[in-house]
């Protein structure tokens, strides 16, 4: 009889997966979403949870379901070159390009900036803070064992307790009724679809593809060796993680919506979280928030630098060493972090608008691949059609100044007139369906000709 995880072991795996998922984006996006959605918070919750909980868990499950040795092996079902390219782009996105710098700027915006006072100059303060932050990141990335365990067992639970106190206090003493808060223009109609895209910002769906092999290795280390049993345990542990994250998101979105009775819509979720904490818990609360958020983001950054450096040293064994990759990624992240949180979010969105459709279709193909025996022609057709149409989503979400300087407005109008649901930021869905139909047709023709 094949060994299966006990309930206690599943909870332990779920807690580990939660710790990997829960980072800077999970703090700042739901509270800001609540401020934007206002009285339309419920459909916004549904859209956000689909992309910030459902798809990430399916991503972890996809790695388990296909018995892949990681993201590169899964993406290589499209083609070996695509496997390398997609894996590199994904790791750079959840690493030095956006997610790691965002950890530093979230820590500064949420914890440090409110303590400096209105007269302080932001740029020099951010430079000094990020320099210290990434010095610690590099130090512990080169020797990560003790700090990740210590912060994971002490700081993360401390943060969750403090965050629970903040959320419960805010929900019990609301600044305004959710039903009385006027939604932002983007959320007056189609709140579900706007929040669906907002969930991209957590980067959890693409992170789930990277984390899948880690979870599988943990489960196998607990004695589960059968691939089918591993896949089931991955899914069950993922569901537990998803339920916890969904509860936190619902409470945080409500907190953000209710805060509109106290504050205007903030420029980003880091500012909103700092304002809410300062209002309900005072200076002492702001200090505790600063310490816990900084430590939590520090742990996440160490984990991301470690993961990215390890992935690249494995993919390119004749290239740089692990230490050299870690130093390069840390230095690059330091430079990006000094653009500030709002700029990082602004420029990450176009990249995510391109990557997410490719990640979603790859996950779905992996989960339902038995229907077509994971035929490469189906993977390639879906990916080609999805990637081409997703380029228009990337162009659409570029900053207005970039669009204007590159004269891209015409391409956006063309996409609006030709791609169904493009205005809902889902212009890739119909082309992906066409690609699947074409791939299945080509597979059928090959089978009839005896080539499959």
């Amino acid at each position: 009889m094949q060994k299966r995880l006990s309930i206690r072991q599943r909870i332990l795996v779920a807690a580990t997966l939660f710790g990997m998922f829960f980072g800077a984006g999970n703090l700042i996006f739901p509270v800001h979403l609540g401020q934007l959605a206002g009285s339309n918070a419920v459909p916004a919750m549904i859209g956000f949870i689909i992309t910030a909980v459902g798809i990430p868990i399916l991503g972890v499950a996809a790695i388990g379901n296909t018995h892949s040795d990681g993201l590169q092996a899964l993406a290589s079902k499209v083609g070996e070159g695509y496997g390398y390219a997609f894996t590199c782009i994904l790791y750079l996105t959840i690493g030095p390009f956006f997610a790691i710098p965002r950890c530093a700027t979230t820590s500064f915006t949420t914890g440090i900036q409110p303590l400096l006072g209105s007269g302080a100059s932001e740029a020099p303060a951010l430079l000094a803070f990020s320099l210290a932050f990434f010095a610690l990141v590099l130090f512990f990335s080169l020797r990560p064992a003790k700090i990740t365990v210590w912060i994971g067992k002490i700081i993360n639970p401390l943060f969750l307790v403090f965050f629970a106190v903040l959320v419960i206090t805010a929900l019990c003493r609301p600044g305004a009724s959710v039903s009385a808060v006027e939604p932002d223009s983007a959320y007056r109609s189609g709140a579900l679809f706007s929040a669906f895209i907002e969930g991209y910002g957590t980067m959890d769906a693409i992170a789930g593809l990277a984390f899948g092999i880690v979870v599988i290795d943990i489960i196998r280390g607990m004695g589960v060796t059968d691939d089918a049993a591993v896949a089931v345990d991955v899914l069950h542990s993922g569901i537990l993680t998803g339920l916890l994250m969904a509860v936190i998101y619902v409470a945080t979105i409500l907190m953000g919506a209710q805060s509109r009775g106290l504050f205007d819509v903030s420029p980003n979720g880091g500012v909103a979280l700092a304002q809410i904490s300062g209002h309900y818990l005072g200076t002492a609360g702001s200090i505790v928030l600063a310490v816990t958020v900084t430590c939590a983001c520090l742990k996440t950054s160490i984990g991301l630098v470690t993961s990215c450096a390890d992935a690249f040293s494995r993919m390119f064994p004749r290239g740089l060493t692990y230490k050299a990759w870690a130093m390069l990624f840390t230095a690059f992240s330091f430079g990006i972090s000094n653009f500030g949180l709002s700029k990082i979010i602004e420029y990450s969105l176009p990249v995510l608008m391109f990557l997410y459709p490719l990640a979603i279709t790859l996950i779905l193909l992996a989960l339902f691949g038995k229907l077509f025996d994971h035929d490469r022609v189906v993977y390639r057709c879906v990916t080609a059609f999805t990637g081409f149409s997703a380029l228009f989503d990337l162009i659409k979400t570029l900053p207005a100044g970039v669009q204007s300087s590159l004269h891209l407005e015409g391409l956006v109008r063309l996409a609006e007139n030709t791609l169904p649901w493009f205005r809902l930021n889902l212009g890739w869905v119909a082309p992906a369906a066409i690609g699947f139909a074409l791939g299945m047709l080509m597979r059928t023709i090959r089978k009839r000709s005896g080539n499959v």
Side-chain angles (χ1 to χ4, degrees):
M1 184 175 178
Q2 293 294 337
K3 176 179 171 57
R4 297 288 298 276
L5 294 185
S6 66
I7 294 177
R8 182 178 178 275
Q9 287 175 317
R10 284 179 181 170
I11 293 174
L12 179 61
V13 174
T16 303
L17 185 57
F18 174 82
M20 290 190 292
F21 272 131
F22 204 84
N26 309 86
L27 293 173
I28 61 177
F29 282 99
V31 66
H32 192 234
L33 172 62
Q35 289 190 326
L36 294 170
S39 59
N40 286 332
V42 173
M45 288 174 190
I46 296 171
F48 188 81
I49 287 173
I50 290 172
T51 44
V53 177
I55 295 174
I57 298 307
L58 290 178
V60 175
I63 299 292
N65 186 59
T66 55
H67 316 309
S68 299
D69 292 329
L71 171 61
Q72 185 182 346
L74 179 60
S76 292
K77 292 182 181 298
V78 180
E80 185 175 351
Y82 181 83
Y84 272 96
F86 186 74
T87 302
C88 288
I89 294 171
L90 186 141
Y91 269 103
L92 290 173
T93 300
I94 64 170
F97 280 9
F98 300 114
I100 298 174
R102 192 175 68 184
C103 284
T105 52
T106 296
S107 300
F108 176 80
T109 303
T110 304
I112 305 302
Q113 192 174 14
L115 302 177
L116 298 177
S118 57
S121 179
E122 179 180 344
L126 175 58
L127 178 64
F129 174 81
S130 59
L131 182 61
F133 184 93
F134 283 110
L136 288 171
V137 168
L138 180 59
F139 178 83
F140 290 115
S141 293
L142 298 179
R143 47 185 74 79
K146 291 185 178 180
I147 186 65
T148 52
V149 171
W150 188 81
I151 293 181
K153 289 185 176 180
I154 298 175
I155 297 300
N156 260 0
L158 175 64
F159 168 74
L160 288 174
V161 169
F162 174 79
F163 195 60
V165 170
L166 173 61
V167 171
I168 293 171
T169 302
L171 293 179
C172 292
R173 296 164 53 193
S177 170
V178 173
S179 61
V181 177
E182 180 70 18
D184 182 77
S185 58
Y187 287 82
R188 287 173 191 158
S189 62
L192 186 148
F193 298 104
S194 295
F196 183 92
I197 301 303
E198 189 79 8
Y200 286 11
T202 65
M203 303 189 194
D204 280 347
I206 56 178
L209 289 170
F211 293 156
I213 189 61
V214 179
V215 177
I216 290 169
D217 286 344
I218 291 172
I219 292 173
R220 285 175 176 162
M222 292 178 172
V224 182
T225 56
D226 180 68
D227 285 342
V230 168
V232 171
D233 284 326
V234 166
L235 182 59
H236 287 171
S237 300
I239 290 172
L240 288 175
T241 302
L243 289 173
L244 176 58
M245 293 176 68
V247 169
I248 293 174
Y249 287 148
V250 167
T252 308
I253 289 170
L254 288 175
M255 179 178 71
Q258 292 177 349
S259 73
R260 284 286 304 280
L262 304 169
F263 313 105
D264 294 330
V265 176
S266 60
N268 58 66
V271 172
L273 198 57
Q275 290 175 331
I276 294 169
S277 176
H279 174 80
Y280 286 106
L281 302 178
T283 303
S286 296
I287 293 173
V288 174
L289 180 68
V291 173
T292 53
V293 169
T294 300
C295 289
C297 287
L298 179 66
K299 179 185 72 68
T300 300
S301 297
I302 294 166
L304 288 173
V305 168
T306 302
S307 298
C308 291
D310 181 67
F312 274 77
S313 61
R314 289 175 184 270
M315 281 192 293
F316 306 106
R318 297 181 180 179
L320 300 177
T321 63
Y322 167 84
K323 288 187 176 181
W325 281 117
M327 294 174 66
L328 177 63
F329 289 151
T330 302
F332 191 86
S333 300
F334 165 71
I336 296 294
S337 68
N338 281 273
F339 284 99
L341 183 57
S342 294
K343 282 292 184 184
I344 291 174
I345 294 172
E346 181 183 14
Y347 280 92
S348 66
L349 181 58
V351 177
L352 296 174
M353 292 293 287
F354 177 71
L355 276 183
Y356 252 76
L358 292 171
I360 292 171
T361 51
L362 181 62
I363 290 169
L364 293 176
L365 288 170
L367 290 174
F368 298 102
K370 289 183 179 180
L371 297 175
F372 52 89
D373 296 323
H374 293 282
D375 194 325
R376 179 164 288 184
V377 70
V378 179
Y379 275 88
R380 286 181 171 175
C381 285
V382 173
T383 301
F385 276 76
T386 302
F388 179 76
S389 57
L391 282 172
F392 292 98
D393 287 315
L394 182 155
I395 294 169
K396 176 185 176 181
T397 49
L398 286 171
V402 176
Q403 284 191 39
S404 178
S405 62
L406 296 177
H407 307 290
L408 299 174
E409 298 90 341
L411 288 176
V412 175
R413 288 193 295 271
L414 174 64
E416 287 177 344
N417 294 328
T418 55
L419 292 177
W421 310 308
F422 182 75
R423 294 178 186 273
L424 298 175
N425 298 308
L426 296 172
W428 57 272
V429 173
I434 294 171
F436 180 74
L438 178 62
M440 293 297 287
L441 176 62
M442 293 173 64
R443 170 177 164 76
T444 301
I445 293 172
R446 287 171 57 200
K447 285 182 67 175
R448 289 179 177 176
S449 64
N451 293 328
V452 175

